[in-house]
Amino acid sequence: MHALLPYLVMLGFLAAVLGFFTWLARRIRHRGTAGGAMSGALASYEEAFRATSHASHYEIRAQSERKAPTDSPDGWRRRRRGKG
C-alpha cells in the first residue's frame, strides 16, 4: 500500500487540476469573457506559424468591413451610365 501512495496522490492532484480547468472553462464560456483574449492568442499563433492563413484572415476581415458604394438619391449615377 505504501508503494501506491505516491501514485494515488499524483492521481488525486491531476483530478483536482482537471476539475478546476473544467470549472474555469465553463465559467468563461458562460460569462463570455474569453472572446478578446482568445482572439488575440489565436491571431498571434496564426501570424507566427501560418503566415499565409494570417494574411488571408486580415484580407477577409477587410473585405467584410468594406461597404459597397450607394447610388445618389437623385439617380445621377444611373443617368450618367445610361447616356454614355
Side-chain angles (χ1 to χ4, degrees):
M1 180 67 184
H2 294 290
L4 294 177
L5 187 61
Y7 295 114
L8 291 175
V9 169
M10 189 64 122
L11 185 64
F13 177 74
L14 181 62
V17 169
L18 288 176
F20 171 74
F21 282 138
T22 303
W23 171 80
L24 185 64
R26 285 183 183 166
R27 183 175 171 100
I28 288 173
R29 284 188 197 129
H30 178 70
R31 296 180 82 190
T33 56
M38 195 59 129
S39 177
L42 289 176
S44 64
Y45 173 79
E46 291 286 324
E47 184 178 4
F49 295 107
R50 295 191 230 171
T52 55
S53 101
H54 179 71
S56 299
H57 171 71
Y58 277 107
E59 183 60 33
I60 290 170
R61 282 184 58 191
Q63 286 178 0
S64 68
E65 291 173 358
R66 289 187 204 131
K67 293 184 179 181
T70 58
D71 286 337
S72 174
D74 62 356
W76 180 77
R77 287 185 180 175
R78 271 189 240 129
R79 282 190 272 132
R80 289 281 285 173
R81 288 182 187 160
K83 289 181 180 178

